[in-house]
Amino acid sequence: MPQYRAFVPRLAVVAVIAVLVAEGACRDTPTAPRNQPPTQDGTKASSQINAPGDSAAPELVFLPPLGPPHTPKGELDTTVAPSVVICKLAGDRCGADTLARFISDSGAADTANAAYPQRVLLMDKAYTVTWNLPSPDTVTAYRISVTLGDTTVGYTDMKIVPARYRPPTGDTARFAFVTVQRPLNVRFQIFTPAKLLTVLYDQGVHGFPASGATAYRHGERVPYNFEADSGYSNVLVTVDQEYLPPRGKITMNQPHVLVVSADRIASVAPGDEWILTEGRALLRSTTPAQSAQRFLDRIAAITDTANISARLARAERILGAADPAALRSLDLALAGHTFLAGSGRGVENRVIAPPPSGGGDMISDNILPGKTAHLSLRPSPDVRVADVVGVGAGITSRSGYEPLTIAYVNGVLTTPFGALLNAGSVALMANASTWTVEVPFEVRLIYNSTANRTTDDPSDNCVLDLARHSDGLGVNALPIYLGQCDKGSLGPNGLAHALAILADFAEAGTQLSNILNRSTLSHPADADSVAAITSRLRDAGRHVVFVPHSQGNLMVQQGVDILRRKGRYSPATDTTCIGAVSLAAPTSENWPISARHLSGIVVAHDAILILGKNHFTQVQTPFSDSADAEPGRWHQLGSIPGLAGALRIRWSVRIHELIRGYLEQEPSRSRIQTALVHSYKSCALGNLVISPRRLTLTTGGSGTFSSSFFDLNADPLDGRRTIGWSANALDDNQRA
């Protein structure tokens, strides 16, 4: 049987797609009807005469004299038991009377009475029924319908006409015209449609079947086998969005979409080899916390920052594969620790916020919060000193702002190196932000090691163990572990379950449930660490703005809630505040942080969105645009079931990554920087307004001053600040 392939240009996801068209030359096919009279314009009967049935029905082909030339696309099926009903048409529907009924039942009576159905016979690979034709009538039309159970396979409409009848042109597109003598043998064939297997290749893999769309017989078992190219690892095969081993067989019981890809094995950029040397030394260190801090210090000192995020990510992949056992020990050793990832001072661009309407006219620039603002009392020049005391307000201006700690909290299944390098990337991003104020800030990593904590779910434990003892830093490795732990089946909700675990493992499910239900029954130890470290930072007079990623958001939510319940966090009275720039959060709900201090950022098509709980405004990036574009391009080839979903899974898992999905992309990177600056400015004191500016009193009189505090965004400031008042005078009477 010949097969022909037509090629289209290369697309981004695959190398080439080949579209196979299976010809029917080797099958039992109908021939052109010999008894069909020609139409007035000399053409044969229209191919529109035979109408298809239900959308899921097999293909029906009527043979001469009822069928026009037709080449079926499927496989001939002689194992089914069709029924045939013949009726007289009333408009475009069958009338009330059934003229004949035929069933595939050897016990049926052989009679023309419509009450007793006749038999459908299988003769010469075609189903046949014999119908005694009525007299020729150029007006009356009949419909012959074929069914399989309750499914309509198809039908044809016909008229019985005398010889040499020349039908109107309009009728030839609708009816078959029969001039044969009675009885008429109605012959038809049923073809099971061929099943289409669409294979999509990503870079870094080879094997079979070839990339493209190929038709296979129904039920055929198609072997497949894929391997990674040199420089790639972790072959991932998905069939209809379900994960399969890299080799096996696919049963073509329906159309399938197979997507195969692999992770590129990273190599560090020239000049970055020291990262590997320092990282491997960290794995062998007897003082891991101190060594981790030294490692971060080296990262913070990098001066060549071109493509630094991608360079650090490549180093992470290599270090993660170096010594899995040592990596697990390092992860446990860093639990509960905080590390300084970098520091800086915002570039000052002198901005004086306008005073709120109705307030005083004392506006200060560069107030150093925590220091006393001074009031100077002096005599009024227009009255006698003995009679009047004049009061004026003055603010001491200082070149400084309230200090800030930016706290990055990693998600689970982030290796120690991944967390350290991510923190370094956050520090680089913070230093490149446009602050407009000379804020002194530091960037810290609060290390979250929940990926190593045990749970009661053996499947979760299995996944964690496999991930920690592998080079599974690539996105393709994780579904393979899931399939091994779930013995190849992810259950009826397998897709949602798989992506949820890919995004946030183990305890995250319980955390998410507790947060959504406002439950305080349990929380991981890392949430206690977040609470304790945050409390220490605020006691030192520092505002804290979190930049949590993925499940790190849940740690922040629970950690801040612990402070709130213990009375250590009260925005209405605290002089230091807590803000957050949430990245890829499992949920946007029930944050214990004031909305004015919280910004939520999630990139479109992030895997975390499968949970359906993140309602922050989605940011479209070129990376997420490509997730839209690829399925759109493929749909230009036709509607292929499962294709769009399969491609989106591949992109979603990648987009969840912090560096590649968020810090490297625009506009998400700029959005993060803007949100970071805004959150700090909503916390820090920017202006103190004293009203009235001058108060004139007679001797023995009294008056009242009021003070208002505003943040650096010129909004009323949360919390309270203390003002110190002082007075001076020219003589003892005034001082008294």
Side-chain angles (χ1 to χ4, degrees), residues 404-454:
L404 166 68
T405 293
I406 301 167
Y408 161 66
V409 184
N410 61 284
V412 293
L413 208 64
T414 304
T415 67
F417 293 111
L420 294 168
L421 297 175
N422 284 349
S425 296
V426 172
L428 292 170
M429 179 200 67
N431 273 286
S433 299
T434 303
W435 290 91
T436 71
V437 290
E438 199 173 331
V439 51
F441 66 84
E442 64 176 13
V443 179
R444 287 191 172 272
L445 162 66
I446 300 180
Y447 190 77
N448 166 27
S449 64
T450 53
N452 282 298
R453 304 203 185 281
T454 59

Side-chain angles (χ1 to χ4, degrees), residues 3 37 120 154 173 183 186 220 226 240 286 290 315 324 343 455 515 524 532 546 552 578 661 671 686 715 736:
Q3 293 181 338
V120 178
V186 178
E220 184 175 352
F226 300 102
D240 302 334
T286 56
Q290 293 88 331
S343 61
T455 71
I515 289 171
F546 287 101
I578 299 175
R671 293 280 185 91
D715 294 321

Side-chain angles (χ1 to χ4, degrees), residues 388-710:
V388 178
V389 176
V391 182
I395 297 178
T396 300
S397 178
R398 303 178 185 274
S399 59
Y401 289 85
E402 293 175 332
L404 166 68
T405 293
I406 301 167
Y408 161 66
V409 184
N410 61 284
V412 293
L413 208 64
T414 304
T415 67
F417 293 111
L420 294 168
L421 297 175
N422 284 349
S425 296
V426 172
L428 292 170
M429 179 200 67
N431 273 286
S433 299
T434 303
W435 290 91
T436 71
V437 290
E438 199 173 331
V439 51
F441 66 84
E442 64 176 13
V443 179
R444 287 191 172 272
L445 162 66
I446 300 180
Y447 190 77
N448 166 27
S449 64
T450 53
N452 282 298
R453 304 203 185 281
T454 59
T455 71
D456 294 331
D457 188 338
S459 177
D460 284 346
N461 288 331
C462 172
V463 171
L464 299 177
D465 289 340
L466 282 171
R468 285 302 182 189
H469 289 82
S470 71
D471 60 349
L473 296 170
V475 297
N476 287 331
L478 303 180
I480 298 172
Y481 302 147
L482 291 174
Q484 293 177 15
C485 291
D486 286 350
K487 296 181 174 60
S489 174
L490 295 174
N493 298 317
L495 174 58
H497 177 66
L499 289 182
I501 294 180
L502 284 175
D504 299 302
F505 277 93
E507 295 168 309
T510 302
Q511 276 188 285
L512 180 59
S513 176
N514 287 342
I515 289 171
L516 294 176
N517 296 322
R518 300 183 185 275
S519 172
T520 59
L521 294 178
S522 65
H523 58 265
D526 290 277
D528 287 314
S529 297
V530 170
I533 294 168
T534 303
S535 184
R536 292 199 299 268
L537 291 169
R538 299 178 76 217
D539 287 345
R542 308 187 69 88
H543 296 298
V544 178
V545 175
F546 287 101
V547 182
H549 176 252
S550 190
Q551 187 249 3
N553 287 271
L554 304 181
M555 292 299 174
V556 171
Q557 286 176 277
Q558 290 191 313
V560 175
D561 191 59
I562 291 171
L563 293 178
R564 181 189 60 80
R565 288 187 281 111
K566 290 183 176 181
R568 302 298 306 275
Y569 172 57
S570 177
T573 59
D574 294 347
T575 57
T576 57
C577 86
I578 299 175
V581 180
S582 164
L583 306 181
T587 180
S588 56
E589 301 175 29
N590 297 340
W591 278 80
I593 298 174
S594 170
R596 63 179 297 195
H597 305 308
L598 173 67
S599 297
I601 296 175
V602 61
V603 171
H605 300 298
D606 189 309
I608 205 70
L609 295 172
I610 197 71
L611 299 177
K613 300 299 182 182
N614 187 319
H615 303 297
F616 290 129
T617 301
Q618 296 180 25
V619 179
Q620 200 77 22
T621 69
F623 208 12
S624 54
D625 286 343
S626 62
D628 286 327
E630 294 304 335
R633 291 171 185 166
W634 283 105
H635 275 301
Q636 294 174 5
L637 300 176
S639 180
I640 302 176
L643 177 60
L647 291 176
R648 284 197 170 96
I649 288 177
R650 302 295 312 125
W651 284 105
S652 293
V653 175
R654 286 185 170 95
I655 287 177
H656 189 70
E657 297 173 335
L658 174 65
I659 293 178
R660 187 179 182 191
Y662 284 78
L663 300 185
E664 284 186 346
Q665 299 295 316
E666 288 291 359
S668 61
R669 178 181 176 86
S670 294
R671 293 280 185 91
I672 296 168
Q673 291 174 313
T674 300
L676 183 63
V677 172
H678 176 84
S679 186
Y680 167 72
K681 288 186 174 181
S682 71
C683 289
L685 175 63
N687 193 20
L688 168 62
V689 176
I690 304 297
S691 180
R693 182 178 181 183
R694 177 174 294 276
L695 179 63
T696 301
L697 301 175
T698 59
T699 302
S702 64
T704 302
F705 289 99
S706 64
S707 61
S708 300
F709 296 92
F710 298 90

Side-chain angles (χ1 to χ4, degrees), residues 86-326:
I86 301 177
C87 68
K88 187 182 295 186
L89 280 178
D92 193 40
R93 298 179 179 274
C94 281
D97 297 332
T98 298
L99 301 180
R101 186 155 53 97
F102 305 83
I103 62 174
S104 300
D105 183 356
S106 59
D110 189 7
T111 173
N113 191 326
Y116 297 94
Q118 299 169 280
R119 290 173 55 194
V120 178
L121 303 177
L122 180 63
M123 302 171 59
D124 297 328
K125 297 183 180 180
Y127 294 97
T128 304
V129 299
T130 302
W131 179 37
N132 291 322
L133 292 178
S135 300
D137 181 354
T138 60
V139 176
T140 304
Y142 305 89
R143 175 165 292 178
I144 303 174
S145 301
V146 178
T147 60
L148 290 174
D150 296 331
T151 301
T152 299
V153 183
Y155 61 86
T156 189
D157 294 339
M158 60 168 287
K159 286 185 177 182
I160 305 166
V161 296
R164 293 182 298 279
Y165 173 72
R166 313 296 288 186
T169 302
D171 281 2
T172 60
R174 178 179 176 187
F175 300 107
F177 295 91
V178 177
T179 60
V180 295
Q181 299 300 314
R182 301 175 10 165
L184 171 67
N185 288 328
V186 178
R187 302 172 63 240
F188 59 90
Q189 293 175 316
I190 294 176
F191 292 83
T192 301
K195 305 304 179 184
L196 196 66
L197 174 62
T198 304
V199 181
L200 307 178
Y201 274 68
D202 207 342
Q203 294 180 350
V205 290
H206 63 274
F208 61 85
S211 172
T214 307
Y216 292 94
R217 289 179 299 173
H218 179 84
E220 184 175 352
R221 286 179 55 79
V222 179
Y224 69 92
N225 187 359
F226 300 102
E227 296 180 357
D229 293 341
S230 177
Y232 290 81
S233 64
N234 298 329
V235 173
L236 174 64
V237 175
T238 61
V239 174
D240 302 334
Q241 307 176 16
E242 296 292 337
Y243 301 105
L244 293 183
R247 60 189 57 82
K249 292 184 178 181
I250 302 172
T251 301
M252 296 304 298
N253 54 352
Q254 65 183 45
H256 293 297
V257 177
L258 184 153
V259 181
V260 55
S261 60
D263 287 323
R264 185 173 185 85
I265 298 175
S267 58
V268 298
D272 288 345
E273 293 84 358
W274 67 267
I275 300 178
L276 301 184
T277 302
E278 294 282 345
R280 288 168 179 145
L282 174 56
L283 289 175
R284 299 188 295 269
S285 175
T286 56
T287 56
Q290 293 88 331
S291 298
Q293 183 60 68
R294 287 195 296 270
F295 182 77
L296 259 180
D297 293 342
R298 288 292 306 274
I299 296 295
I302 293 177
T303 56
D304 176 15
T305 58
N307 301 318
I308 187 61
S309 295
R311 288 157 51 195
L312 296 179
R314 288 197 295 269
E316 178 203 355
R317 295 169 76 101
I318 297 175
L319 290 169
D323 190 341

